Amino acid sequence: MAQQYIFIDNYNKLGTMAFSRTVFEQIVHTVTDNVMNHSNTKGDKKRISLNSPAKVSIRNNQVNVRVEVTISHNENVAAICRTLQEEIAAALTAQTEMVPFRIDIKVTNVK
């Protein structure tokens, strides 16, 4: 069974902080919404879209994020995936500091 929480010991040994899987889902959801809204500014045509909400799981005290996207055929697939991955990583690092994570971006379709 997957873990529901990541526990971090306080630096000054006064306690433990717990982050739930829901916290990570909300962070990833916010970032993907922002990236989708900013990347889809070329007229009516969507450059990138999510196929389903991002999936977040916690295993062995590591947060695993999986995002499946569809990208427009005239876009740089590698650059868009790298940007999305970097944005998610920056948000997770800024808000949860020392939690280890892995971010997988899967391109399921190019239209």
Side-chain angles (χ1 to χ4, degrees), residues 13-103:
K13 308 292 187 218
L14 294 177
T16 302
M17 183 170 31
F19 292 103
S20 76
R21 184 176 52 83
T22 307
V23 168
F24 297 104
E25 288 174 345
Q26 186 60 45
I27 293 169
V28 172
H29 176 74
T30 301
V31 172
T32 55
D33 277 356
N34 287 340
V35 170
M36 298 303 126
N37 290 336
H38 285 66
S39 70
N40 294 329
T41 56
K42 281 187 177 178
D44 297 329
K45 198 170 186 183
K46 282 193 165 189
R47 295 172 56 201
I48 181 172
S49 61
L50 289 179
N51 295 343
S52 61
K55 295 169 184 69
V56 177
S57 63
I58 300 173
R59 296 197 190 276
N60 301 323
N61 290 324
Q62 177 176 308
V63 176
N64 300 303
V65 178
R66 182 176 172 93
V67 180
E68 295 181 0
V69 296
T70 297
I71 298 176
S72 176
H73 74 285
N74 57 349
E75 298 297 327
N76 184 338
V77 174
I80 288 177
C81 290
R82 185 175 49 254
T83 299
L84 183 58
Q85 192 173 38
E86 288 171 352
E87 291 288 328
I88 292 170
L92 288 174
T93 301
Q95 297 181 40
T96 62
E97 294 183 17
M98 298 183 62
V99 175
F101 53 85
R102 174 187 172 129
I103 303 165

